[in-house]
Amino acid sequence: RRGTLVIGAVTALIALAVPFEAMIEPMINVGVLLGFNLTNASLIQVRYGNGGQVGIPMVNRLTWAMMGFTAVAAFSVYHGCYQPLIGTTPGSVNWVLAATGIVCEACALAAAFVIWWVFEFEADMEDPAIFKAWGVPFVPALAMFCNFFLLAITDFTHIGTFGIFVVVIVLLYGAQVAIGTDKQSREISCKGEDSVSREVYETELECRKHPILTL
Protein backbone atom coordinates (compact mmCIF):
# COMPACT_ATOMS: atom_id res chain seq x y z
CA ARG A 1 0.00 0.00 0.00
CA ARG A 2 2.81 2.41 0.87
CA GLY A 3 4.57 1.77 -2.45
CA THR A 4 1.35 2.42 -4.36
CA LEU A 5 0.88 5.75 -2.58
CA VAL A 6 4.48 6.82 -3.22
CA ILE A 7 4.40 5.90 -6.93
CA GLY A 8 0.99 7.54 -7.33
CA ALA A 9 2.21 10.75 -5.68
CA VAL A 10 5.37 10.92 -7.78
CA THR A 11 3.38 10.23 -10.96
CA ALA A 12 0.96 13.01 -10.07
CA LEU A 13 3.83 15.45 -9.49
CA ILE A 14 5.37 14.53 -12.86
CA ALA A 15 2.00 15.04 -14.54
CA LEU A 16 1.72 18.49 -12.93
CA ALA A 17 5.18 19.44 -14.20
CA VAL A 18 4.58 18.35 -17.82
CA PRO A 19 2.49 20.64 -20.09
CA PHE A 20 -0.94 19.21 -20.81
CA GLU A 21 -0.55 19.59 -24.58
CA ALA A 22 2.76 17.70 -24.53
CA MET A 23 1.31 14.87 -22.47
CA ILE A 24 -2.01 13.96 -24.01
CA GLU A 25 -1.43 13.12 -27.67
CA PRO A 26 2.36 12.57 -28.02
CA MET A 27 2.87 10.74 -24.74
CA ILE A 28 -0.15 8.51 -25.28
CA ASN A 29 1.00 7.75 -28.82
CA VAL A 30 4.47 6.75 -27.61
CA GLY A 31 3.06 4.56 -24.84
CA VAL A 32 0.48 2.88 -27.06
CA LEU A 33 2.95 2.12 -29.86
CA LEU A 34 5.52 0.70 -27.45
CA GLY A 35 2.74 -1.30 -25.82
CA PHE A 36 1.79 -2.75 -29.20
CA ASN A 37 5.37 -3.82 -29.80
CA LEU A 38 5.61 -5.44 -26.38
CA THR A 39 2.42 -7.32 -27.28
CA ASN A 40 4.01 -8.51 -30.53
CA ALA A 41 7.10 -9.64 -28.64
CA SER A 42 4.94 -11.40 -26.04
CA LEU A 43 3.07 -13.25 -28.80
CA ILE A 44 6.35 -14.68 -30.10
CA GLN A 45 7.55 -15.55 -26.61
CA VAL A 46 4.35 -17.35 -25.62
CA ARG A 47 4.06 -19.19 -28.92
CA TYR A 48 7.60 -20.56 -28.58
CA GLY A 49 7.56 -21.60 -24.93
CA ASN A 50 8.48 -18.50 -22.92
CA GLY A 51 5.08 -17.85 -21.38
CA GLY A 52 5.33 -17.01 -17.67
CA GLN A 53 9.05 -17.67 -17.53
CA VAL A 54 11.97 -17.86 -19.93
CA GLY A 55 12.11 -21.52 -20.87
CA ILE A 56 14.05 -21.02 -24.12
CA PRO A 57 16.63 -18.23 -23.66
CA MET A 58 17.62 -18.15 -27.34
CA VAL A 59 14.06 -17.25 -28.40
CA ASN A 60 14.08 -14.49 -25.80
CA ARG A 61 17.36 -13.06 -27.13
CA LEU A 62 16.24 -13.28 -30.74
CA THR A 63 12.97 -11.54 -29.94
CA TRP A 64 14.70 -8.63 -28.23
CA ALA A 65 17.20 -8.45 -31.11
CA MET A 66 14.26 -8.31 -33.50
CA MET A 67 12.79 -5.37 -31.58
CA GLY A 68 16.10 -3.54 -31.62
CA PHE A 69 16.71 -4.09 -35.34
CA THR A 70 13.18 -3.04 -36.31
CA ALA A 71 13.51 0.12 -34.21
CA VAL A 72 16.75 1.15 -35.91
CA ALA A 73 15.35 0.19 -39.32
CA ALA A 74 12.13 2.19 -38.89
CA PHE A 75 13.83 5.36 -37.66
CA SER A 76 16.48 5.10 -40.37
CA VAL A 77 13.96 4.62 -43.18
CA TYR A 78 11.76 7.44 -41.91
CA HIS A 79 14.52 10.03 -41.53
CA GLY A 80 16.58 8.78 -44.46
CA CYS A 81 13.89 8.19 -47.10
CA TYR A 82 10.36 9.14 -46.11
CA GLN A 83 11.08 12.55 -44.61
CA PRO A 84 13.22 13.83 -47.54
CA LEU A 85 10.85 12.50 -50.21
CA ILE A 86 7.35 12.87 -48.75
CA GLY A 87 7.72 14.59 -45.40
CA THR A 88 7.62 18.24 -44.37
CA THR A 89 11.35 18.84 -44.95
CA PRO A 90 12.07 17.93 -48.60
CA GLY A 91 15.64 17.12 -49.53
CA SER A 92 17.88 14.43 -50.91
CA VAL A 93 17.75 10.86 -49.69
CA ASN A 94 20.26 10.00 -47.01
CA TRP A 95 21.61 6.80 -48.47
CA VAL A 96 23.56 5.91 -45.33
CA LEU A 97 20.38 5.90 -43.25
CA ALA A 98 18.50 4.14 -46.03
CA ALA A 99 21.11 1.38 -46.22
CA THR A 100 21.17 1.10 -42.43
CA GLY A 101 17.41 0.66 -42.40
CA ILE A 102 17.47 -2.03 -45.06
CA VAL A 103 20.26 -3.97 -43.34
CA CYS A 104 18.61 -3.76 -39.91
CA GLU A 105 15.24 -4.88 -41.25
CA ALA A 106 16.96 -7.78 -43.01
CA CYS A 107 18.56 -8.73 -39.67
CA ALA A 108 15.15 -8.57 -37.96
CA LEU A 109 13.63 -10.85 -40.60
CA ALA A 110 16.63 -13.16 -40.25
CA ALA A 111 15.99 -13.40 -36.50
CA ALA A 112 12.34 -14.20 -37.21
CA PHE A 113 13.39 -16.86 -39.73
CA VAL A 114 15.75 -18.48 -37.21
CA ILE A 115 12.95 -18.64 -34.63
CA TRP A 116 10.56 -20.14 -37.18
CA TRP A 117 13.09 -22.64 -38.59
CA VAL A 118 14.86 -23.85 -35.43
CA PHE A 119 12.21 -23.84 -32.72
CA GLU A 120 8.84 -25.55 -32.50
CA PHE A 121 5.56 -24.19 -31.24
CA GLU A 122 5.06 -24.80 -27.52
CA ALA A 123 1.46 -23.55 -27.40
CA ASP A 124 -1.52 -25.86 -27.83
CA MET A 125 -2.26 -25.22 -31.48
CA GLU A 126 -5.02 -27.86 -31.62
CA ASP A 127 -7.31 -26.26 -29.04
CA PRO A 128 -10.08 -24.42 -30.95
CA ALA A 129 -10.86 -22.29 -27.89
CA ILE A 130 -7.47 -20.54 -28.09
CA PHE A 131 -7.10 -17.68 -30.54
CA LYS A 132 -4.07 -18.24 -32.72
CA ALA A 133 -2.54 -15.31 -34.58
CA TRP A 134 -1.43 -16.05 -38.13
CA GLY A 135 2.11 -15.73 -39.46
CA VAL A 136 4.09 -15.81 -36.21
CA PRO A 137 6.89 -14.67 -35.99
CA PHE A 138 6.95 -12.83 -39.36
CA VAL A 139 3.76 -10.80 -38.93
CA PRO A 140 4.81 -9.57 -35.44
CA ALA A 141 8.20 -8.59 -36.90
CA LEU A 142 6.47 -6.55 -39.62
CA ALA A 143 4.12 -5.02 -37.06
CA MET A 144 7.11 -3.98 -34.92
CA PHE A 145 8.59 -2.14 -37.89
CA CYS A 146 5.29 -0.36 -38.63
CA ASN A 147 4.82 0.70 -35.01
CA PHE A 148 8.36 2.02 -34.74
CA PHE A 149 7.89 3.83 -38.05
CA LEU A 150 4.85 5.61 -36.61
CA LEU A 151 6.88 6.29 -33.48
CA ALA A 152 9.59 7.92 -35.60
CA ILE A 153 7.08 10.59 -36.63
CA THR A 154 6.89 11.73 -33.00
CA ASP A 155 9.24 14.49 -31.94
CA PHE A 156 12.34 13.29 -30.10
CA THR A 157 11.50 15.63 -27.21
CA HIS A 158 8.31 13.69 -26.48
CA ILE A 159 10.11 10.37 -26.78
CA GLY A 160 12.79 11.60 -24.37
CA THR A 161 10.15 12.83 -21.92
CA PHE A 162 8.44 9.47 -22.04
CA GLY A 163 11.79 7.74 -21.52
CA ILE A 164 12.54 9.83 -18.43
CA PHE A 165 9.08 9.06 -17.07
CA VAL A 166 9.61 5.31 -17.59
CA VAL A 167 13.05 5.43 -15.94
CA VAL A 168 11.64 7.20 -12.87
CA ILE A 169 8.81 4.68 -12.53
CA VAL A 170 11.17 1.71 -12.97
CA LEU A 171 13.55 3.10 -10.33
CA LEU A 172 10.68 3.61 -7.90
CA TYR A 173 9.42 0.11 -8.56
CA GLY A 174 12.91 -1.33 -8.14
CA ALA A 175 13.35 0.51 -4.85
CA GLN A 176 10.01 -0.82 -3.62
CA VAL A 177 10.94 -4.38 -4.57
CA ALA A 178 14.36 -4.04 -2.91
CA ILE A 179 12.84 -2.72 0.31
CA GLY A 180 10.23 -5.49 0.33
CA THR A 181 12.86 -8.16 -0.33
CA ASP A 182 15.13 -6.84 2.44
CA LYS A 183 12.22 -6.75 4.87
CA GLN A 184 11.20 -10.28 3.96
CA SER A 185 14.77 -11.57 4.35
CA ARG A 186 15.01 -9.97 7.81
CA GLU A 187 11.75 -11.63 8.84
CA ILE A 188 13.00 -14.99 7.61
CA SER A 189 16.29 -14.46 9.46
CA CYS A 190 14.44 -13.61 12.69
CA LYS A 191 12.26 -16.69 12.33
CA GLY A 192 15.35 -18.79 11.73
CA GLU A 193 17.07 -17.41 14.84
CA ASP A 194 13.94 -18.08 16.89
CA SER A 195 13.76 -21.68 15.69
CA VAL A 196 17.47 -22.23 16.46
CA SER A 197 17.05 -20.75 19.95
CA ARG A 198 14.03 -23.00 20.54
CA GLU A 199 15.99 -26.08 19.47
CA VAL A 200 18.89 -25.18 21.79
CA TYR A 201 16.48 -24.62 24.66
CA GLU A 202 14.72 -27.96 24.07
CA THR A 203 18.10 -29.73 23.88
CA GLU A 204 19.18 -28.24 27.22
CA LEU A 205 15.93 -29.40 28.82
CA GLU A 206 16.50 -32.94 27.56
CA CYS A 207 20.05 -32.92 28.94
CA ARG A 208 18.80 -31.82 32.36
CA LYS A 209 16.15 -34.53 32.39
CA HIS A 210 18.62 -37.19 31.26
CA PRO A 211 22.12 -36.31 32.57
CA ILE A 212 23.58 -39.35 30.92
CA LEU A 213 23.06 -37.67 27.55
CA THR A 214 25.69 -35.09 28.50
CA LEU A 215 28.41 -37.72 28.91
Side-chain angles (χ1 to χ4, degrees):
R1 180 182 300 177
R2 183 182 303 172
T4 303
L5 293 175
V6 171
I7 292 178
V10 172
T11 304
L13 291 175
I14 294 174
L16 289 174
V18 177
F20 187 77
E21 297 81 5
M23 179 183 298
I24 293 300
E25 184 175 355
M27 295 287 285
I28 290 177
N29 288 343
V30 173
V32 169
L33 291 171
L34 289 178
F36 285 163
N37 275 350
L38 289 176
T39 302
N40 289 314
S42 299
L43 175 60
I44 299 173
Q45 298 273 30
V46 172
R47 183 68 62 86
Y48 286 93
N50 284 340
Q53 60 182 357
V54 179
I56 306 178
M58 181 56 69
V59 172
N60 182 56
R61 288 192 287 267
L62 288 171
T63 303
W64 283 108
M66 191 187 308
M67 286 193 68
F69 282 127
T70 52
V72 176
F75 276 82
S76 298
V77 170
Y78 176 79
H79 292 285
C81 298
Y82 179 86
Q83 189 68 9
L85 295 176
I86 308 175
T88 57
T89 56
S92 58
V93 174
N94 188 327
W95 292 107
V96 174
L97 288 178
T100 301
I102 294 173
V103 171
C104 287
E105 185 59 24
C107 291
L109 292 176
F113 180 80
V114 170
I115 293 175
W116 173 76
W117 182 263
V118 175
F119 303 97
E120 297 182 355
F121 287 161
E122 298 292 335
D124 187 3
M125 302 300 294
E126 303 299 328
D127 189 354
I130 300 177
F131 173 77
K132 293 171 280 293
W134 178 83
V136 178
F138 298 102
V139 172
L142 179 61
M144 288 179 188
F145 175 83
C146 295
N147 290 326
F148 279 123
F149 188 86
L150 293 174
L151 188 61
I153 301 174
T154 307
D155 190 86
F156 282 109
T157 303
H158 302 308
I159 297 176
T161 304
F162 182 84
I164 294 172
F165 180 80
V166 170
V167 169
V168 171
I169 296 301
V170 169
L171 290 176
L172 288 173
Y173 178 76
Q176 179 186 357
V177 171
I179 293 173
T181 303
D182 184 62
K183 181 179 179 181
Q184 186 178 7
S185 63
R186 288 201 303 268
E187 291 176 354
I188 294 174
S189 177
C190 291
K191 290 180 181 179
E193 291 177 358
D194 292 340
S195 62
V196 171
S197 301
R198 190 179 300 109
E199 290 178 0
V200 172
Y201 176 72
E202 292 175 354
T203 303
E204 290 180 352
L205 284 179
E206 288 295 326
C207 290
R208 291 177 183 176
K209 291 178 183 179
H210 307 285
I212 194 171
L213 295 176
T214 59
L215 298 178

